[in-house]
Amino acid sequence: MDEERALYIVRAGEAGAIERVLRDYSDKHRATFKFEPTDEDKRKKLCEGIFKVLIKDIPTTCQVSCLEVLRILSRDKKVLVPVTTKENMQILLRLAKLNELDDSLEKVSEFPVIVESLKCLCNIVFNSQMAQQLSLELNLAAKLCNLLRKCKDRKFINDIKCFDLRLLFLLSLLHTDIRSQLRYELQGLPLLTQVLESAFSIKWTDEYESAIDHNGPPLSPQETDCAIEALKALFNVTVDSWKVHKESDSHQFRVMAAVLRHCLLIVGPTEDKTEELHSNAVNLLSNVPVSCLDVLICPLTHEETAQEATTLDELPSNKTAEKETVLKNNTMVYNGMNMEAIHVLLNFMEKRIDKGSSYREGLTPVLSLLTECSRAHRNIRKFLKDQVLPPLRDVTNRPEVGSTVRNKLVRLMTHVDLGVKQIAAEFLFVLCKERVDSLLKYTGYGNAAGLLAARGLLAGGRGDNWYSEDEDTDTEEYKNAKPKYLKFFRS
């Protein structure tokens, strides 16, 4: 009945009547995602009628009402089959300002039309294979990049940027060819990185270092959503970029990694949004060549160095191991390097372990990232070793018993999911510089047996990778208990 009334007015009414009836339809069906099959034909005709209205000279408010209803109807895949044509796609591209290369975004009154048109395109491209093919034919990715450039540094049009980025993400997800086009032809890597810089309001203090205001306000909901969409689009663009071929690539990846470091050190409007933001940052960091991840840590400034020296002097002389890592003014410091971002990643990993579910999707990306960082960058490995495997003092309980990060990771070494237990064991093995005796000290023989068997190291020895020969000192507690300890865990 709703479709019949709306269709009648759309076909015969004037703009004011069309706007009213479509606004009523939109209000009633705003949360509708499942439609009655019996009304399918009426919905198809209503879509066709709306496109015919959109080509007319009608007020902006009427355009918005038409597009809101079209967005709702485009949730139904069957309705899109007859209405997804090149002509209709071009109507939406025109309304979204995707056809005019030189047209600036000055008319604020047009912004709602642009946003609703982009929302419609997102639904139609996602639900229609024909629309996906037409997107290639119409070179939609290039048009979206042009629109993004118009939005550069214009914070008051975040909604336009957000849905532009969402559509770019969908296109690059559905078409591998578009990933390559975005990466090379359209310069998507620097463009999307600049979008992140704008969302985070980054101020550079050095080539790969940004100023962090720990007392600053959280990101707004709009800035956070924009950043998340940009991170997802960048993930698709860089998904095959594990190897750097040119120096310019290396520089661009380092810039992106520095932006992601900034991302890890700021918060969103809510705890859930912060976790979503950081989760997407972790996923994207996994695509960055490991040689470029050195920018996640940075040397201290002169002021920070002076503060660190003061803090170290304040520690008791018998706390030599603890002197390696200090916390001063919210800055995690290790060996003269700022380790804040790595510390955030470590805390993120522990929270994902504590959730107790979806380990493969939620935990393995950050564990893999920390493993590769540790394998390639000595300071990161030593800091993580200090945090995860501190000098062993508790020699009475089994390694998997307890609430420390080490205990939690050791428990994962016998997880039912093969991928989860492999990456957990690999991470600890790398922290131990791939030395079997060191791994056994912290995990016990039974927990480590799976990894050692896979590596052919059940009889002892070490892995294939080279690590620095810095000492791994034992505590007095461990030295005294070592013979019984190793015998107990080998039994």
Side-chain angles (χ1 to χ4, degrees):
M1 186 62 109
D2 291 333
E3 284 82 4
E4 282 185 9
R5 177 170 173 265
L7 181 58
Y8 175 79
I9 299 296
V10 165
R11 283 176 170 175
E14 48 84 31
I18 292 173
E19 181 181 342
R20 286 190 296 273
V21 73
L22 291 182
R23 192 189 305 124
D24 290 342
Y25 185 94
S26 176
D27 291 341
K28 186 172 182 179
H29 295 280
R30 197 174 301 278
T32 300
F33 289 88
K34 291 185 178 180
F35 300 88
E36 289 294 332
T38 53
D39 296 327
E40 182 182 312
D41 189 57
K42 296 173 186 174
R43 290 194 299 277
K44 289 178 182 178
K45 291 178 179 178
L46 181 56
C47 279
E48 292 170 344
I50 288 174
F51 274 111
K52 290 177 181 177
V53 172
L54 286 171
I55 62 175
K56 298 178 182 178
D57 184 16
I58 56 175
T60 299
T61 52
C62 187
Q63 288 179 322
V64 172
S65 295
C66 287
L67 291 165
E68 284 178 346
V69 173
L70 187 60
R71 171 171 52 84
I72 292 169
L73 295 174
S74 64
R75 296 167 183 167
D76 184 358
K77 293 183 180 181
K78 294 180 180 178
V79 165
L80 293 177
V81 174
V83 298
T84 306
T85 64
K86 186 175 182 178
E87 292 74 18
N88 289 341
M89 288 285 285
Q90 287 175 324
I91 291 171
L92 291 174
L93 296 185
R94 175 178 58 81
L95 292 170
K97 297 293 182 185
L98 290 169
N99 275 341
E100 300 119 0
L101 293 178
D102 299 322
D103 189 42
S104 60
L105 299 174
E106 296 297 338
K107 295 182 181 179
V108 178
S109 60
E110 294 179 343
F111 290 177
V113 176
I114 299 173
V115 171
E116 283 300 325
S117 300
L118 289 169
K119 288 180 180 179
C120 288
L121 284 167
C122 285
N123 279 1
I124 292 170
V125 168
F126 181 70
N127 286 321
S128 168
Q129 288 188 346
M130 177 60 72
Q132 293 163 21
Q133 293 302 317
L134 287 170
S135 297
L136 293 173
E137 184 180 336
L138 294 167
N139 202 13
L140 181 53
K143 297 178 188 296
L144 289 167
C145 288
N146 286 328
L147 182 60
L148 264 186
R149 291 185 178 95
K150 296 178 195 176
C151 297
K152 188 179 177 183
D153 298 327
R154 301 279 295 281
K155 291 191 175 183
F156 57 92
I157 50 178
N158 270 329
D159 282 344
I160 296 177
K161 283 198 286 190
C162 186
F163 289 101
D164 183 302
L165 290 163
R166 184 169 298 177
L167 192 47
L168 268 179
F169 163 71
L170 287 173
L171 288 173
S172 57
L173 177 69
L174 297 166
H175 285 288
T176 54
D177 290 345
I178 288 180
R179 295 177 197 168
S180 179
Q181 182 192 16
L182 273 171
R183 174 74 190 280
Y184 299 105
E185 178 187 334
L186 301 175
Q187 294 298 299
L189 187 56
L191 175 62
L192 293 170
T193 302
Q194 287 168 8
V195 171
L196 284 177
E197 286 185 50
S198 176
F200 299 147
S201 301
I202 289 181
K203 296 178 180 178
W204 295 105
T205 58
D206 205 341
E207 187 176 21
Y208 304 122
E209 293 179 35
S210 61
I212 303 292
D213 182 5
H214 292 289
N215 298 316
L219 290 178
S220 70
Q222 294 82 6
E223 289 167 339
T224 306
D225 289 340
C226 226
I228 289 171
E229 295 300 334
L231 289 168
K232 288 158 59 178
L234 269 169
F235 178 86
N236 288 344
V237 172
T238 60
V239 72
D240 300 317
S241 302
W242 58 273
K243 191 173 183 180
V244 175
H245 298 285
K246 298 184 297 185
E247 187 62 32
S248 58
D249 288 341
S250 178
H251 168 71
Q252 190 55 56
F253 275 112
R254 277 193 161 83
V255 171
M256 188 175 75
V259 172
L260 294 176
R261 177 183 182 274
H262 188 101
C263 176
L264 292 171
L265 301 180
I266 57 179
V267 296
T270 65
E271 188 175 340
D272 287 344
K273 274 296 180 183
T274 299
E275 182 172 356
E276 185 181 359
L277 183 69
H278 289 177
S279 178
N280 281 284
V282 167
N283 292 339
L284 182 52
L285 279 168
S286 300
N287 288 349
V288 176
V290 68
S291 61
C292 300
L293 293 175
D294 54 346
V295 301
L296 290 178
I297 62 176
C298 54
L300 301 181
T301 63
H302 292 302
E303 293 80 5
E304 289 172 332
T305 302
Q307 291 173 351
E308 182 196 19
T310 302
T311 308
L312 288 172
D313 289 340
E314 291 171 355
L315 288 174
S317 58
N318 62 339
K319 297 287 186 177
T320 53
E322 286 82 346
K323 279 193 176 187
E324 292 287 355
T325 306
V326 296
L327 182 65
K328 186 73 172 178
N329 293 339
N330 294 321
T331 302
M332 183 64 67
V333 177
Y334 182 88
N335 200 25
M337 304 294 287
N338 185 321
M339 293 287 180
E340 287 178 283
I342 304 301
H343 194 247
V344 169
L345 290 172
L346 186 60
N347 287 339
F348 180 86
M349 178 201 73
E350 188 172 9
K351 286 181 182 177
R352 287 296 170 96
I353 294 176
D354 292 342
K355 279 191 172 182
S357 61
S358 303
Y359 281 157
R360 182 173 285 272
E361 299 81 13
L363 177 62
T364 55
V366 67
L367 260 178
S368 298
L369 175 63
L370 290 174
T371 301
E372 293 308 311
C373 283
S374 300
R375 184 175 278 126
H377 302 288
R378 178 173 178 265
N379 275 322
I380 294 177
R381 174 181 56 78
K382 293 188 70 177
F383 170 75
L384 288 172
K385 169 78 181 301
D386 184 70
Q387 297 292 305
V388 177
L389 302 176
L392 194 60
R393 301 188 185 282
D394 180 7
V395 294
T396 58
N397 292 314
R398 299 185 69 91
E400 66 271 21
V401 176
S403 58
T404 66
V405 182
R406 174 178 75 103
N407 302 142
K408 295 172 183 179
L409 286 166
V410 171
R411 287 196 288 271
L412 289 179
M413 294 175 76
T414 54
H415 195 272
V416 293
D417 188 306
L418 181 62
V420 172
K421 71 178 183 180
Q422 283 179 337
I423 190 58
E426 184 77 9
F427 177 51
L428 292 174
F429 194 42
V430 169
L431 292 189
C432 293
K433 296 186 289 188
E434 300 190 21
R435 287 171 43 188
V436 173
D437 57 343
S438 181
L439 181 69
L440 294 180
K441 179 173 81 171
Y442 288 105
T443 69
Y445 192 81
N447 294 313
L451 178 137
L452 298 180
R455 294 288 196 99
L457 294 171
L458 284 171
R462 65 187 305 165
D464 298 328
N465 292 289
W466 181 89
Y467 296 88
S468 60
E469 294 298 330
D470 45 290
E471 284 190 39
D472 182 18
T473 56
D474 292 332
T475 62
E476 288 300 319
E477 293 91 337
Y478 179 74
K479 288 178 180 177
N480 294 333
K482 185 173 181 179
K484 295 181 180 178
Y485 186 82
L486 290 180
K487 180 180 179 182
F488 175 70
F489 286 121
R490 285 180 182 270
S491 61

